[in-house]
Amino acid sequence: MFAILIAGIALWVGAHFFKRLAPDMRANMGNAGKGVVAVGILAGLVLMIWGYRGAEFIHVWAPPTFMVHINNLLMLIAVFLYGMSATTGRLRGKMRHPQLTAVKVWAVAHLLVNGDLASILLFGSMLVWAGAEVAMINRAEEWKRPAPGDKKKDVLLVVITLVVFAIMTAIHAWLGVWPFPG
């Protein structure tokens, strides 16, 4: 299953980097290229989940119990940051890469509470990928900061963050991973 996990990671990273590493090839594909990339990303995600869920547990380190609290706080922050990318509120434009920053926070949060090899491979690779993606984007394009919007939209973002966090918690519980110490 480690091979499936690694193949998924490679496909995810390759599909995301395709536009930046082979811009001419991607441009020549036209709109079909978007579909190819989308299929590659989706296939990579499926393989990562399948490989991670089926991977043998190989203990590397034992995270301290209190890290669960830090993980939960970081996950709440990650959900908020991810949502910032779609907000039209005052927070719009405060951060250049809110989605990729959210992925980095998500990865660090999970590395703090998972000490097995499959987790280190999955979350560590996503942390490295998101950092590399930010670096590639920053080098390729100048950022034009959007104008801030209505502050009521930021309140909506907080509400949506709490709802999405509750849904994610329920999904983790349904999968047998209770995210709160008890």
Side-chain angles (χ1 to χ4, degrees):
M1 287 306 215
F2 278 100
I4 293 171
L5 173 60
I6 292 167
I9 293 166
L11 193 52
W12 171 274
V13 170
H16 276 91
F17 282 167
F18 180 54
K19 176 182 175 181
R20 306 229 181 267
L21 296 177
D24 294 336
M25 181 185 291
R26 171 59 188 86
N28 289 337
M29 295 174 78
N31 283 336
K34 289 181 183 179
V36 170
V37 169
V39 167
I41 289 169
L42 182 60
L45 181 62
V46 168
L47 290 174
M48 284 189 290
I49 293 169
W50 181 25
Y52 179 75
R53 298 273 301 158
E56 176 187 356
F57 184 86
I58 299 174
H59 178 80
V60 177
W61 73 291
T65 315
F66 73 87
M67 288 294 187
V68 174
H69 300 293
I70 296 170
N71 168 273
N72 290 335
L73 177 61
L74 289 174
M75 285 306 303
L76 191 59
I77 292 167
V79 172
F80 181 81
L81 290 171
Y82 196 87
M84 273 180 61
S85 67
T87 188
T88 56
R90 304 235 12 112
L91 292 173
R92 178 177 58 188
K94 295 290 184 189
M95 180 181 292
R96 180 166 184 186
H97 305 287
Q99 284 184 345
L100 291 168
T101 303
V103 170
K104 291 188 277 187
V105 171
W106 167 83
V108 168
H110 283 77
L111 287 168
L112 292 176
V113 294
N114 293 289
D116 62 291
L117 184 59
S119 294
I120 292 168
L121 282 172
L122 175 61
F123 302 117
S125 66
M126 291 297 101
L127 178 60
V128 171
W129 162 74
E133 190 80 42
V134 166
M136 290 176 80
I137 292 169
N138 287 348
R139 195 171 344 158
E141 3 177 298
E142 186 178 333
W143 185 41
K144 294 181 179 137
R145 185 181 303 271
D150 184 4
K151 115 169 70 166
K152 290 178 188 173
K153 298 291 186 172
D154 294 336
V155 173
L156 181 60
L157 173 60
V158 170
V159 171
I160 291 170
T161 295
L162 294 173
V163 170
V164 170
F165 184 76
I167 291 168
M168 288 170 50
T169 299
I171 291 170
H172 276 74
W174 178 69
L175 290 172
V177 181
W178 182 243
F180 302 103

